Amino acid sequence: NAGVTQTPKFRILKIGQSMTLQCTQDMNHNYMYWYRQDPGMGLKLIYYSVGAGITDKGEVPNGYNVSRSTTEDFPLRLELAAPSQTSVYFCASSYSGTSGRAALLMEQYFGPGTRLTVT
Amino acid sequence: QQPVQSPQAVILREGEDAVINCSSSKALYSVHWYRQKHGEAPVFLMILLKGGEQKGHEKISASFNEKKQQSSLYLTASQLSYSGTYFCGTRGSGTYKYIFGTGTRLKVLA
């Protein structure tokens, strides 16, 4: 298994340009997440998905859009890039297990990240 | 809303112990702990559930105080490989959102 893959690894955008960050997982996980991590900071949730066709906003969704047409793919779209979107973007996937009768969201598997610079 | 971790940074000598705390203002259902090395993606360490159950795969222990909405990660007999930034990821009941904490930078010296 390749796990979670992200493309591209690096990208430089000019202000106002648009791009799509690709994320694919081959573990048949239902749950997928997009995070951004600014230098020296923690992870901020942008969007997440609990299955194909279902997405929801996280902490910092403004300036981004997502879609989830298949279980495997969860692309992140940046429209009208701004310098404030300079960051490292991580995609992650997860699956559910059980603990007794309770549904349990298991650990997240992260992709290697995309380093984006907007100038 | 972001969980607060303490300390922000800690320096240890090999073999020393450390405790990293994660405190949330919201009711928690579960807590994850991750370690991130510089320039790499976070790697899973442990899950703690409401009710005390733990699931993990490293020789690291942790606790979850549901009443105080706090979790602590215990690193004993630290090794050089323990260096990195530690994050807690918290999830509330009825949601699939994970909100990560502010992070704790740990450096282990020989």
Side-chain angles (χ1 to χ4, degrees), chain A residues 36-56:
Chain A
R36 61 175 287 173
Q37 186 174 35
D38 297 337
M41 304 297 284
L43 297 150
K44 294 285 192 180
L45 180 64
I46 305 171
Y47 272 94
Y48 68 103
S49 169
V50 300
I54 307 171
T55 63
D56 204 351

Side-chain angles (χ1 to χ4, degrees), chain B residues 29-84:
Chain B
Y29 179 73
S30 65
V31 179
H32 287 185
W33 284 97
Y34 293 81
R35 177 170 60 215
Q36 185 179 30
K37 304 259 184 192
H38 183 69
E40 298 180 7
V43 174
F44 168 76
L45 295 175
M46 180 166 292
I47 292 177
L48 297 108
L49 303 177
K50 195 173 179 178
E53 185 171 350
Q54 300 183 20
K55 294 181 184 294
H57 56 71
E58 284 206 19
K59 294 181 180 178
I60 293 173
S61 62
S63 65
F64 181 16
N65 186 323
E66 301 158 35
K67 288 184 179 179
K68 292 186 177 181
Q69 309 307 326
Q70 292 176 346
S71 177
S72 295
L73 188 71
Y74 304 98
L75 306 171
T76 56
S78 59
Q79 306 168 17
L80 294 175
S81 62
Y82 285 10
S83 293

